[in-house]
């Protein structure tokens, strides 16, 4: 159920985009071991992004949001962030300022995540999986 959003410039080739998506999925899956990782790519033209109040002032710095269950392991978060950064840097090489890619990790307790009409805190399989992950 982890969801990953990428805000980035237009211009990535389809092959590079597909490779990036697979690598990011693998990085998130390695940290969470929960199926159904979804990645949402939102692309913008440089004249649609202001940095420090100026449109098209410099190459866009990608911004990413991870929306997922709580993850206690700092080492797992570090590894995941590093792999995600590498995948984005390779895909956007020459298109974006990937040295300053920001990844914000928003973690939610299971009682704050509804799926298929019920809270995840009521799903015994997910509760057990998260207990093992964060144990």
């Amino acid at each position: 159920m982890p969801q990953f959003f990428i805000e980035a410039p237009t211009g990535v080739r389809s092959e590079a985009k597909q490779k990036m998506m697979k690598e990011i999925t693998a990085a998130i899956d390695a940290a969470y071991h929960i199926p159904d990782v979804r990645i949402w790519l939102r692309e913008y033209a440089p004249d649609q992004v202001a940095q420090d109040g100026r449109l098209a002032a410099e190459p866009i710095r990608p911004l990413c949001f991870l929306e997922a269950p709580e993850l206690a392991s700092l080492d797992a978060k570090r590894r995941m962030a590093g792999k995600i950064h590498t995948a984005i840097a390779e895909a956007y090489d020459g298109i974006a300022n990937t040295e300053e890619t920001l990844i914000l990790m928003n973690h939610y307790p299971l009682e704050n995540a509804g799926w298929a009409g019920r809270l995840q805190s009521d799903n015994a399989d997910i509760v057990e999986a998260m207990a093992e992950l964060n144990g």
Side-chain angles (χ1 to χ4, degrees), residues 41-86:
L41 178 59
R42 297 182 280 215
E43 298 178 300
Y44 303 90
D47 67 348
Q48 298 298 309
V49 178
Q51 294 178 157
D52 297 323
R54 297 169 294 146
L55 289 172
E58 62 182 270
I60 294 173
R61 293 175 258 170
L63 171 62
C64 306
F65 302 94
L66 174 67
E67 306 287 335
E70 292 178 309
L71 181 61
S73 172
L74 287 178
D75 286 337
K77 289 179 191 179
R78 284 183 186 104
R79 284 190 299 275
M80 180 176 57
K83 290 177 183 178
I84 290 170
H85 182 268
T86 297

mmCIF file of all heavy atoms in Angstrom, residues 41-86:
data_model
loop_
_atom_site.group_PDB
_atom_site.id
_atom_site.type_symbol
_atom_site.label_atom_id
_atom_site.label_comp_id
_atom_site.label_asym_id
_atom_site.label_seq_id
_atom_site.Cartn_x
_atom_site.Cartn_y
_atom_site.Cartn_z
ATOM 1 N N LEU A 41 3.607 9.932 -10.997
ATOM 2 C CA LEU A 41 4.545 10.900 -11.555
ATOM 3 C C LEU A 41 3.762 12.106 -12.062
ATOM 4 O O LEU A 41 2.878 11.977 -12.912
ATOM 5 C CB LEU A 41 5.346 10.277 -12.697
ATOM 6 C CG LEU A 41 6.327 11.183 -13.417
ATOM 7 C CD1 LEU A 41 7.372 11.739 -12.453
ATOM 8 C CD2 LEU A 41 6.982 10.424 -14.563
ATOM 9 N N ARG A 42 4.089 13.265 -11.517
ATOM 10 C CA ARG A 42 3.471 14.517 -11.961
ATOM 11 C C ARG A 42 4.587 15.360 -12.563
ATOM 12 O O ARG A 42 5.548 15.706 -11.868
ATOM 13 C CB ARG A 42 2.794 15.220 -10.793
ATOM 14 C CG ARG A 42 1.656 14.361 -10.223
ATOM 15 C CD ARG A 42 0.925 15.043 -9.106
ATOM 16 N NE ARG A 42 1.654 14.934 -7.853
ATOM 17 C CZ ARG A 42 1.068 14.805 -6.661
ATOM 18 N NH1 ARG A 42 -0.232 14.765 -6.556
ATOM 19 N NH2 ARG A 42 1.793 14.729 -5.576
ATOM 20 N N GLU A 43 4.447 15.659 -13.844
ATOM 21 C CA GLU A 43 5.504 16.366 -14.561
ATOM 22 C C GLU A 43 5.076 17.798 -14.876
ATOM 23 O O GLU A 43 3.916 18.057 -15.163
ATOM 24 C CB GLU A 43 5.841 15.628 -15.854
ATOM 25 C CG GLU A 43 6.367 14.227 -15.601
ATOM 26 C CD GLU A 43 6.658 13.476 -16.873
ATOM 27 O OE1 GLU A 43 5.715 13.286 -17.670
ATOM 28 O OE2 GLU A 43 7.816 13.104 -17.069
ATOM 29 N N TYR A 44 6.070 18.683 -14.832
ATOM 30 C CA TYR A 44 5.824 20.108 -15.031
ATOM 31 C C TYR A 44 6.826 20.698 -16.004
ATOM 32 O O TYR A 44 8.008 20.351 -15.971
ATOM 33 C CB TYR A 44 5.954 20.854 -13.694
ATOM 34 C CG TYR A 44 5.040 20.341 -12.619
ATOM 35 C CD1 TYR A 44 5.457 19.323 -11.760
ATOM 36 C CD2 TYR A 44 3.770 20.869 -12.458
ATOM 37 C CE1 TYR A 44 4.610 18.843 -10.779
ATOM 38 C CE2 TYR A 44 2.921 20.395 -11.464
ATOM 39 C CZ TYR A 44 3.348 19.381 -10.629
ATOM 40 O OH TYR A 44 2.504 18.906 -9.654
ATOM 41 N N ALA A 45 6.360 21.635 -16.811
ATOM 42 C CA ALA A 45 7.257 22.426 -17.653
ATOM 43 C C ALA A 45 7.966 23.436 -16.747
ATOM 44 O O ALA A 45 7.392 23.872 -15.743
ATOM 45 C CB ALA A 45 6.463 23.147 -18.732
ATOM 46 N N PRO A 46 9.195 23.821 -17.067
ATOM 47 C CA PRO A 46 9.934 24.757 -16.209
ATOM 48 C C PRO A 46 9.189 26.059 -15.931
ATOM 49 O O PRO A 46 9.313 26.624 -14.852
ATOM 50 C CB PRO A 46 11.227 25.013 -16.987
ATOM 51 C CG PRO A 46 11.414 23.774 -17.800
ATOM 52 C CD PRO A 46 10.019 23.331 -18.168
ATOM 53 N N ASP A 47 8.380 26.523 -16.878
ATOM 54 C CA ASP A 47 7.660 27.779 -16.649
ATOM 55 C C ASP A 47 6.433 27.600 -15.755
ATOM 56 O O ASP A 47 5.686 28.548 -15.517
ATOM 57 C CB ASP A 47 7.281 28.447 -17.976
ATOM 58 C CG ASP A 47 6.250 27.659 -18.761
ATOM 59 O OD1 ASP A 47 5.969 26.487 -18.431
ATOM 60 O OD2 ASP A 47 5.711 28.231 -19.734
ATOM 61 N N GLN A 48 6.245 26.409 -15.228
ATOM 62 C CA GLN A 48 5.151 26.131 -14.300
ATOM 63 C C GLN A 48 5.651 25.909 -12.872
ATOM 64 O O GLN A 48 4.880 25.562 -11.989
ATOM 65 C CB GLN A 48 4.364 24.893 -14.758
ATOM 66 C CG GLN A 48 3.708 25.057 -16.104
ATOM 67 C CD GLN A 48 2.680 26.175 -16.091
ATOM 68 O OE1 GLN A 48 1.811 26.230 -15.231
ATOM 69 N NE2 GLN A 48 2.797 27.085 -17.045
ATOM 70 N N VAL A 49 6.961 26.079 -12.667
ATOM 71 C CA VAL A 49 7.556 25.852 -11.352
ATOM 72 C C VAL A 49 8.369 27.081 -10.952
ATOM 73 O O VAL A 49 9.269 27.500 -11.677
ATOM 74 C CB VAL A 49 8.474 24.609 -11.362
ATOM 75 C CG1 VAL A 49 9.120 24.403 -10.007
ATOM 76 C CG2 VAL A 49 7.678 23.367 -11.767
ATOM 77 N N ALA A 50 8.038 27.627 -9.795
ATOM 78 C CA ALA A 50 8.797 28.759 -9.264
ATOM 79 C C ALA A 50 9.731 28.248 -8.181
ATOM 80 O O ALA A 50 9.335 27.465 -7.320
ATOM 81 C CB ALA A 50 7.855 29.812 -8.681
ATOM 82 N N GLN A 51 10.953 28.660 -8.256
ATOM 83 C CA GLN A 51 11.934 28.356 -7.217
ATOM 84 C C GLN A 51 12.446 29.693 -6.696
ATOM 85 O O GLN A 51 12.956 30.506 -7.466
ATOM 86 C CB GLN A 51 13.045 27.465 -7.777
ATOM 87 C CG GLN A 51 12.488 26.111 -8.146
ATOM 88 C CD GLN A 51 13.475 25.142 -8.758
ATOM 89 O OE1 GLN A 51 13.233 23.967 -8.692
ATOM 90 N NE2 GLN A 51 14.551 25.598 -9.347
ATOM 91 N N ASP A 52 12.235 29.905 -5.414
ATOM 92 C CA ASP A 52 12.565 31.183 -4.791
ATOM 93 C C ASP A 52 11.837 32.341 -5.479
ATOM 94 O O ASP A 52 12.389 33.423 -5.651
ATOM 95 C CB ASP A 52 14.079 31.413 -4.765
ATOM 96 C CG ASP A 52 14.797 30.374 -3.924
ATOM 97 O OD1 ASP A 52 14.231 29.962 -2.884
ATOM 98 O OD2 ASP A 52 15.901 29.965 -4.299
ATOM 99 N N GLY A 53 10.590 32.084 -5.911
ATOM 100 C CA GLY A 53 9.753 33.123 -6.487
ATOM 101 C C GLY A 53 9.982 33.427 -7.949
ATOM 102 O O GLY A 53 9.345 34.317 -8.507
ATOM 103 N N ARG A 54 10.867 32.686 -8.610
ATOM 104 C CA ARG A 54 11.190 32.946 -10.018
ATOM 105 C C ARG A 54 10.832 31.726 -10.862
ATOM 106 O O ARG A 54 11.274 30.618 -10.561
ATOM 107 C CB ARG A 54 12.669 33.276 -10.170
ATOM 108 C CG ARG A 54 13.070 34.560 -9.439
ATOM 109 C CD ARG A 54 14.573 34.735 -9.377
ATOM 110 N NE ARG A 54 15.093 33.657 -8.524
ATOM 111 C CZ ARG A 54 16.254 33.058 -8.696
ATOM 112 N NH1 ARG A 54 17.050 33.407 -9.668
ATOM 113 N NH2 ARG A 54 16.652 32.106 -7.876
ATOM 114 N N LEU A 55 10.043 31.964 -11.907
ATOM 115 C CA LEU A 55 9.702 30.878 -12.836
ATOM 116 C C LEU A 55 10.907 30.518 -13.688
ATOM 117 O O LEU A 55 11.647 31.410 -14.130
ATOM 118 C CB LEU A 55 8.546 31.296 -13.738
ATOM 119 C CG LEU A 55 7.181 31.398 -13.070
ATOM 120 C CD1 LEU A 55 6.180 32.009 -14.033
ATOM 121 C CD2 LEU A 55 6.712 30.032 -12.602
ATOM 122 N N ALA A 56 11.092 29.222 -13.909
ATOM 123 C CA ALA A 56 12.154 28.709 -14.782
ATOM 124 C C ALA A 56 13.519 29.297 -14.423
ATOM 125 O O ALA A 56 14.358 29.514 -15.294
ATOM 126 C CB ALA A 56 11.815 28.962 -16.250
ATOM 127 N N ALA A 57 13.750 29.542 -13.146
ATOM 128 C CA ALA A 57 14.992 30.181 -12.698
ATOM 129 C C ALA A 57 16.196 29.263 -12.803
ATOM 130 O O ALA A 57 17.319 29.728 -12.993
ATOM 131 C CB ALA A 57 14.836 30.653 -11.254
ATOM 132 N N GLU A 58 15.964 27.989 -12.685
ATOM 133 C CA GLU A 58 17.045 27.002 -12.696
ATOM 134 C C GLU A 58 16.425 25.652 -13.000
ATOM 135 O O GLU A 58 15.200 25.515 -13.000
ATOM 136 C CB GLU A 58 17.741 26.970 -11.333
ATOM 137 C CG GLU A 58 16.821 26.563 -10.195
ATOM 138 C CD GLU A 58 17.502 26.582 -8.835
ATOM 139 O OE1 GLU A 58 18.053 25.539 -8.468
ATOM 140 O OE2 GLU A 58 17.449 27.627 -8.176
ATOM 141 N N PRO A 59 17.235 24.630 -13.260
ATOM 142 C CA PRO A 59 16.654 23.302 -13.458
ATOM 143 C C PRO A 59 15.822 22.905 -12.227
ATOM 144 O O PRO A 59 16.216 23.159 -11.092
ATOM 145 C CB PRO A 59 17.869 22.396 -13.624
ATOM 146 C CG PRO A 59 18.937 23.301 -14.144
ATOM 147 C CD PRO A 59 18.685 24.628 -13.461
ATOM 148 N N ILE A 60 14.673 22.310 -12.494
ATOM 149 C CA ILE A 60 13.764 21.919 -11.417
ATOM 150 C C ILE A 60 14.436 20.914 -10.496
ATOM 151 O O ILE A 60 15.110 19.984 -10.946
ATOM 152 C CB ILE A 60 12.469 21.333 -12.003
ATOM 153 C CG1 ILE A 60 11.705 22.415 -12.764
ATOM 154 C CG2 ILE A 60 11.591 20.719 -10.909
ATOM 155 C CD1 ILE A 60 10.508 21.901 -13.529
ATOM 156 N N ARG A 61 14.227 21.100 -9.201
ATOM 157 C CA ARG A 61 14.686 20.151 -8.192
ATOM 158 C C ARG A 61 13.515 19.219 -7.883
ATOM 159 O O ARG A 61 12.493 19.673 -7.362
ATOM 160 C CB ARG A 61 15.117 20.879 -6.920
ATOM 161 C CG ARG A 61 16.355 21.726 -7.114
ATOM 162 C CD ARG A 61 16.666 22.508 -5.870
ATOM 163 N NE ARG A 61 16.195 23.884 -6.102
ATOM 164 C CZ ARG A 61 16.117 24.811 -5.170
ATOM 165 N NH1 ARG A 61 16.450 24.543 -3.931
ATOM 166 N NH2 ARG A 61 15.697 26.012 -5.467
ATOM 167 N N PRO A 62 13.619 17.930 -8.195
ATOM 168 C CA PRO A 62 12.509 17.024 -7.933
ATOM 169 C C PRO A 62 12.117 17.010 -6.454
ATOM 170 O O PRO A 62 12.955 17.161 -5.559
ATOM 171 C CB PRO A 62 13.041 15.660 -8.367
ATOM 172 C CG PRO A 62 14.076 15.992 -9.394
ATOM 173 C CD PRO A 62 14.719 17.249 -8.887
ATOM 174 N N LEU A 63 10.825 16.822 -6.239
ATOM 175 C CA LEU A 63 10.244 16.718 -4.907
ATOM 176 C C LEU A 63 9.435 15.437 -4.866
ATOM 177 O O LEU A 63 8.643 15.174 -5.784
ATOM 178 C CB LEU A 63 9.349 17.931 -4.641
ATOM 179 C CG LEU A 63 8.489 17.905 -3.396
ATOM 180 C CD1 LEU A 63 9.339 17.835 -2.137
ATOM 181 C CD2 LEU A 63 7.576 19.128 -3.372
ATOM 182 N N CYS A 64 9.632 14.648 -3.819
ATOM 183 C CA CYS A 64 8.949 13.359 -3.710
ATOM 184 C C CYS A 64 8.258 13.229 -2.355
ATOM 185 O O CYS A 64 8.753 13.749 -1.350
ATOM 186 C CB CYS A 64 9.950 12.214 -3.860
ATOM 187 S SG CYS A 64 10.943 12.300 -5.360
ATOM 188 N N PHE A 65 7.149 12.519 -2.362
ATOM 189 C CA PHE A 65 6.398 12.254 -1.138
ATOM 190 C C PHE A 65 6.138 10.755 -1.029
ATOM 191 O O PHE A 65 5.587 10.160 -1.950
ATOM 192 C CB PHE A 65 5.038 12.961 -1.154
ATOM 193 C CG PHE A 65 5.129 14.445 -1.314
ATOM 194 C CD1 PHE A 65 5.040 15.024 -2.577
ATOM 195 C CD2 PHE A 65 5.292 15.266 -0.213
ATOM 196 C CE1 PHE A 65 5.111 16.394 -2.735
ATOM 197 C CE2 PHE A 65 5.361 16.643 -0.356
ATOM 198 C CZ PHE A 65 5.266 17.210 -1.623
ATOM 199 N N LEU A 66 6.543 10.175 0.083
ATOM 200 C CA LEU A 66 6.205 8.786 0.382
ATOM 201 C C LEU A 66 5.077 8.819 1.395
ATOM 202 O O LEU A 66 5.209 9.409 2.468
ATOM 203 C CB LEU A 66 7.407 8.035 0.966
ATOM 204 C CG LEU A 66 7.108 6.614 1.443
ATOM 205 C CD1 LEU A 66 6.762 5.701 0.269
ATOM 206 C CD2 LEU A 66 8.278 6.057 2.230
ATOM 207 N N GLU A 67 3.965 8.211 1.063
ATOM 208 C CA GLU A 67 2.812 8.092 1.953
ATOM 209 C C GLU A 67 2.688 6.604 2.264
ATOM 210 O O GLU A 67 2.356 5.815 1.380
ATOM 211 C CB GLU A 67 1.538 8.612 1.266
ATOM 212 C CG GLU A 67 1.658 10.018 0.714
ATOM 213 C CD GLU A 67 1.655 11.095 1.788
ATOM 214 O OE1 GLU A 67 1.101 10.852 2.876
ATOM 215 O OE2 GLU A 67 2.203 12.179 1.534
ATOM 216 N N ALA A 68 2.996 6.231 3.507
ATOM 217 C CA ALA A 68 3.087 4.813 3.826
ATOM 218 C C ALA A 68 2.900 4.574 5.326
ATOM 219 O O ALA A 68 2.955 5.521 6.118
ATOM 220 C CB ALA A 68 4.446 4.285 3.380
ATOM 221 N N PRO A 69 2.741 3.312 5.718
ATOM 222 C CA PRO A 69 2.666 2.997 7.139
ATOM 223 C C PRO A 69 3.963 3.354 7.860
ATOM 224 O O PRO A 69 5.014 3.520 7.235
ATOM 225 C CB PRO A 69 2.440 1.477 7.173
ATOM 226 C CG PRO A 69 1.895 1.145 5.836
ATOM 227 C CD PRO A 69 2.520 2.123 4.892
ATOM 228 N N GLU A 70 3.867 3.446 9.166
ATOM 229 C CA GLU A 70 5.037 3.774 9.973
ATOM 230 C C GLU A 70 6.159 2.763 9.735
ATOM 231 O O GLU A 70 5.916 1.573 9.595
ATOM 232 C CB GLU A 70 4.657 3.792 11.450
ATOM 233 C CG GLU A 70 3.725 4.929 11.797
ATOM 234 C CD GLU A 70 3.296 4.928 13.240
ATOM 235 O OE1 GLU A 70 2.835 3.892 13.721
ATOM 236 O OE2 GLU A 70 3.428 5.980 13.876
ATOM 237 N N LEU A 71 7.364 3.266 9.706
ATOM 238 C CA LEU A 71 8.555 2.437 9.532
ATOM 239 C C LEU A 71 9.568 2.887 10.577
ATOM 240 O O LEU A 71 10.038 4.020 10.537
ATOM 241 C CB LEU A 71 9.130 2.603 8.119
ATOM 242 C CG LEU A 71 10.352 1.785 7.765
ATOM 243 C CD1 LEU A 71 10.069 0.286 7.864
ATOM 244 C CD2 LEU A 71 10.827 2.135 6.358
ATOM 245 N N ALA A 72 9.871 2.004 11.515
ATOM 246 C CA ALA A 72 10.714 2.372 12.649
ATOM 247 C C ALA A 72 12.210 2.389 12.310
ATOM 248 O O ALA A 72 12.955 3.172 12.881
ATOM 249 C CB ALA A 72 10.463 1.420 13.817
ATOM 250 N N SER A 73 12.638 1.562 11.393
ATOM 251 C CA SER A 73 14.066 1.402 11.124
ATOM 252 C C SER A 73 14.648 2.580 10.346
ATOM 253 O O SER A 73 14.331 2.796 9.169
ATOM 254 C CB SER A 73 14.310 0.116 10.343
ATOM 255 O OG SER A 73 15.657 0.042 9.920
ATOM 256 N N LEU A 74 15.529 3.327 11.002
ATOM 257 C CA LEU A 74 16.217 4.421 10.311
ATOM 258 C C LEU A 74 17.125 3.886 9.216
ATOM 259 O O LEU A 74 17.283 4.514 8.164
ATOM 260 C CB LEU A 74 17.019 5.263 11.298
ATOM 261 C CG LEU A 74 16.204 6.166 12.219
ATOM 262 C CD1 LEU A 74 17.122 6.904 13.195
ATOM 263 C CD2 LEU A 74 15.378 7.153 11.419
ATOM 264 N N ASP A 75 17.727 2.719 9.446
ATOM 265 C CA ASP A 75 18.584 2.131 8.417
ATOM 266 C C ASP A 75 17.782 1.790 7.161
ATOM 267 O O ASP A 75 18.243 2.027 6.042
ATOM 268 C CB ASP A 75 19.295 0.887 8.945
ATOM 269 C CG ASP A 75 20.418 1.230 9.908
ATOM 270 O OD1 ASP A 75 20.939 2.362 9.844
ATOM 271 O OD2 ASP A 75 20.769 0.371 10.739
ATOM 272 N N ALA A 76 16.589 1.236 7.344
ATOM 273 C CA ALA A 76 15.732 0.923 6.189
ATOM 274 C C ALA A 76 15.343 2.195 5.456
ATOM 275 O O ALA A 76 15.347 2.236 4.221
ATOM 276 C CB ALA A 76 14.491 0.162 6.637
ATOM 277 N N LYS A 77 15.035 3.259 6.190
ATOM 278 C CA LYS A 77 14.691 4.549 5.572
ATOM 279 C C LYS A 77 15.890 5.108 4.812
ATOM 280 O O LYS A 77 15.739 5.623 3.701
ATOM 281 C CB LYS A 77 14.247 5.552 6.631
ATOM 282 C CG LYS A 77 12.901 5.261 7.235
ATOM 283 C CD LYS A 77 12.583 6.324 8.287
ATOM 284 C CE LYS A 77 11.390 5.963 9.124
ATOM 285 N NZ LYS A 77 11.102 6.995 10.145
ATOM 286 N N ARG A 78 17.073 5.016 5.397
ATOM 287 C CA ARG A 78 18.288 5.522 4.733
ATOM 288 C C ARG A 78 18.551 4.784 3.423
ATOM 289 O O ARG A 78 18.845 5.402 2.399
ATOM 290 C CB ARG A 78 19.498 5.367 5.652
ATOM 291 C CG ARG A 78 19.571 6.383 6.751
ATOM 292 C CD ARG A 78 20.856 6.213 7.575
ATOM 293 N NE ARG A 78 20.815 7.105 8.707
ATOM 294 C CZ ARG A 78 20.567 6.726 9.962
ATOM 295 N NH1 ARG A 78 20.369 5.444 10.250
ATOM 296 N NH2 ARG A 78 20.551 7.611 10.929
ATOM 297 N N ARG A 79 18.486 3.448 3.482
ATOM 298 C CA ARG A 79 18.727 2.648 2.276
ATOM 299 C C ARG A 79 17.697 2.983 1.203
ATOM 300 O O ARG A 79 18.039 3.166 0.021
ATOM 301 C CB ARG A 79 18.698 1.154 2.602
ATOM 302 C CG ARG A 79 19.951 0.649 3.293
ATOM 303 C CD ARG A 79 19.965 -0.871 3.379
ATOM 304 N NE ARG A 79 18.851 -1.416 4.152
ATOM 305 C CZ ARG A 79 18.828 -1.555 5.475
ATOM 306 N NH1 ARG A 79 19.870 -1.202 6.196
ATOM 307 N NH2 ARG A 79 17.779 -2.074 6.070
ATOM 308 N N MET A 80 16.440 3.060 1.609
ATOM 309 C CA MET A 80 15.369 3.362 0.665
ATOM 310 C C MET A 80 15.579 4.743 0.036
ATOM 311 O O MET A 80 15.504 4.889 -1.183
ATOM 312 C CB MET A 80 14.010 3.291 1.371
ATOM 313 C CG MET A 80 12.830 3.600 0.474
ATOM 314 S SD MET A 80 11.237 3.403 1.314
ATOM 315 C CE MET A 80 11.410 4.510 2.715
ATOM 316 N N ALA A 81 15.858 5.749 0.854
ATOM 317 C CA ALA A 81 16.074 7.107 0.339
ATOM 318 C C ALA A 81 17.250 7.142 -0.633
ATOM 319 O O ALA A 81 17.182 7.795 -1.681
ATOM 320 C CB ALA A 81 16.298 8.078 1.486
ATOM 321 N N GLY A 82 18.322 6.438 -0.312
ATOM 322 C CA GLY A 82 19.488 6.399 -1.194
ATOM 323 C C GLY A 82 19.178 5.768 -2.535
ATOM 324 O O GLY A 82 19.574 6.289 -3.590
ATOM 325 N N LYS A 83 18.455 4.653 -2.515
ATOM 326 C CA LYS A 83 18.105 3.970 -3.766
ATOM 327 C C LYS A 83 17.141 4.806 -4.605
ATOM 328 O O LYS A 83 17.260 4.862 -5.830
ATOM 329 C CB LYS A 83 17.495 2.603 -3.464
ATOM 330 C CG LYS A 83 18.509 1.614 -2.919
ATOM 331 C CD LYS A 83 17.840 0.299 -2.554
ATOM 332 C CE LYS A 83 18.820 -0.675 -1.932
ATOM 333 N NZ LYS A 83 18.151 -1.932 -1.527
ATOM 334 N N ILE A 84 16.183 5.441 -3.949
ATOM 335 C CA ILE A 84 15.234 6.299 -4.672
ATOM 336 C C ILE A 84 15.976 7.471 -5.301
ATOM 337 O O ILE A 84 15.770 7.793 -6.475
ATOM 338 C CB ILE A 84 14.112 6.785 -3.735
ATOM 339 C CG1 ILE A 84 13.194 5.614 -3.368
ATOM 340 C CG2 ILE A 84 13.324 7.931 -4.374
ATOM 341 C CD1 ILE A 84 12.202 5.931 -2.261
ATOM 342 N N HIS A 85 16.862 8.086 -4.530
ATOM 343 C CA HIS A 85 17.629 9.224 -5.058
ATOM 344 C C HIS A 85 18.447 8.810 -6.275
ATOM 345 O O HIS A 85 18.476 9.523 -7.293
ATOM 346 C CB HIS A 85 18.545 9.800 -3.975
ATOM 347 C CG HIS A 85 19.299 10.985 -4.440
ATOM 348 N ND1 HIS A 85 20.562 10.892 -4.993
ATOM 349 C CD2 HIS A 85 18.972 12.293 -4.474
ATOM 350 C CE1 HIS A 85 20.967 12.092 -5.340
ATOM 351 N NE2 HIS A 85 20.028 12.967 -5.028
ATOM 352 N N THR A 86 19.101 7.668 -6.205
ATOM 353 C CA THR A 86 19.907 7.182 -7.326
ATOM 354 C C THR A 86 19.041 6.956 -8.560
ATOM 355 O O THR A 86 19.420 7.345 -9.672
ATOM 356 C CB THR A 86 20.639 5.886 -6.935
ATOM 357 O OG1 THR A 86 21.538 6.179 -5.859
ATOM 358 C CG2 THR A 86 21.407 5.301 -8.102
#
